[in-house]
Amino acid sequence: MIIYTCDFKASHEYTLSGPGIDGFKKARLPIEQNLIKQIMQNNATFALGNEILFLDTTSGEMMALSRTTKVE
């Protein structure tokens, strides 16, 4: 899934944890809580899960969330 946004700073703050993250990390993601909840539920039930790419069309900044990343 690719999500285009105009500004990461105008987004919601979440806590990320999982493989490759030492403890936890705070991050701003341009996605609403209800969609995060649905994605986390899908990742728990599908063997392959969802890979998500966020692309800031203004700065060119990109962030990726692996299907194994827990978002709260």
Side-chain angles (χ1 to χ4, degrees):
M1 176 186 306
I2 300 174
I3 298 175
Y4 294 93
T5 183
C6 294
D7 189 4
F8 277 134
K9 294 174 185 68
S11 55
H12 306 281
E13 185 174 82
Y14 295 97
T15 302
L16 310 178
S17 61
I21 300 173
D22 187 18
F24 69 91
K25 178 177 177 61
K26 295 282 187 182
R28 298 194 74 79
L29 303 174
I31 191 169
E32 296 293 329
Q33 180 68 31
N34 60 342
L35 186 53
I36 286 287
K37 184 178 178 180
Q38 184 63 48
I39 290 168
M40 293 297 105
Q41 288 174 345
N42 289 349
N43 284 352
T45 58
F46 295 123
L48 299 179
N50 298 285
E51 302 287 343
I52 305 170
L53 300 173
F54 298 98
L55 178 62
D56 186 324
T57 57
T58 303
S59 69
E61 184 179 1
M62 184 174 139
M63 177 186 283
L65 286 181
S66 168
R67 63 187 174 267
T68 59
T69 302
K70 183 175 180 183
V71 182
E72 299 178 285

